Amino acid sequence: MPSAFHEVSFPLSVALGAAGGPERRTEIVVLASGREVRNARWADSRRRYDAGSGVASLDDLAAVIAFFEERRGRLHGFRFRDRADFKSCAPSATPARTDQPIGTGDGVTRTFELAKTYGAAFAPYRRRIAKPVAGSVLVAVNGAARSATVDAAAGTVTFAPADTPAAGAAVTAGFLFDVPVRFDTDALTVNLSGFLAGDIPHIPLIEVLP
């Protein structure tokens, strides 16, 4: 069976109790002088999570096992809600159509990829958002609200020919989003002896980069 991505979400009640975040790969060489030479091995960060701490009941346990079996362990990817980072804006704010720059019009291009920028002028990091939440995406051109067709499975917005952004126009968007992940194990160890509700001590998940 070939791998695929399933457009379904990991059980939200369990995801809300997960721990994890971005990971980078940096190579560090210490010279004879004691100085360091550092080199980024990855251009993009990759997120890792452990959802084991989110299992709080037998129902949670059953939901995770069923989800794991349907994904065939590590074979198929799925959506995961990162409770610390799932908006185009600050966690306490409501997404607005001017939150994130996603491109500049050239009078021809109609399709733009959603993205979220981290940091400011010194060394901002632009992260592609491949899994926006359907119905949450708001788009603007030069700050004015515009309509566009959203592909929630690919993370793109496409303007109608008549609405093609003019050359130099700032295209922005606001949205909610999920992280595309897969299980990072083919075996779940279930322990019912320690907790009445059940416990899965380790449910490793890793981001699937677009």
Side-chain angles (χ1 to χ4, degrees):
M1 178 187 294
S3 64
F5 189 91
H6 294 172
E7 292 291 340
V8 294
S9 297
F10 185 80
L12 184 59
S13 62
V14 179
L16 292 178
E23 173 188 28
R24 288 189 172 272
R25 184 67 54 84
T26 305
E27 183 179 72
I28 301 176
V29 178
V30 180
L31 306 178
S33 64
R35 292 185 173 86
E36 293 181 347
V37 176
R38 297 180 296 278
N39 181 54
R41 297 290 300 276
W42 293 352
D44 297 302
S45 58
R46 192 178 193 186
R47 280 149 177 79
R48 287 182 180 272
Y49 305 97
D50 190 337
S53 58
V55 177
S57 69
L58 280 174
D59 286 347
D60 286 344
L61 181 65
V64 169
I65 292 174
F67 196 86
F68 177 85
E69 293 284 34
E70 191 172 7
R71 306 288 88 71
R72 307 298 194 270
R74 293 185 295 178
L75 186 61
H76 302 306
F78 52 91
R79 288 173 174 259
F80 178 81
R81 180 64 53 84
D82 182 344
R83 63 174 182 165
D85 188 5
F86 68 100
K87 295 181 179 181
S88 58
C89 54
S92 61
T94 300
R97 62 185 74 249
T98 55
D99 283 345
Q100 298 291 329
I102 62 171
T104 302
D106 58 10
V108 177
T109 302
R110 295 193 295 118
T111 298
F112 297 83
E113 293 181 343
L114 294 176
K116 182 174 180 178
T117 299
Y118 297 78
F122 183 70
Y125 170 62
R126 188 176 189 270
R127 174 189 179 191
R128 182 183 169 195
I129 301 301
K131 299 297 176 183
V133 175
S136 74
V137 181
L138 304 171
V139 183
V141 176
N142 282 339
R146 298 284 282 273
S147 296
T149 300
V150 178
D151 186 338
T156 61
V157 296
T158 301
F159 295 93
D163 289 329
T164 302
V171 184
T172 58
F175 43 82
L176 303 178
F177 64 94
D178 295 319
V179 182
V181 303
R182 62 168 172 79
F183 286 101
D184 199 24
T185 182
D186 277 324
L188 290 182
T189 301
V190 179
N191 176 17
L192 291 175
S193 62
F195 299 90
L196 178 62
D199 173 46
I200 300 178
H202 189 46
I203 307 175
L205 309 174
I206 188 168
E207 184 176 6
V208 179
L209 296 178

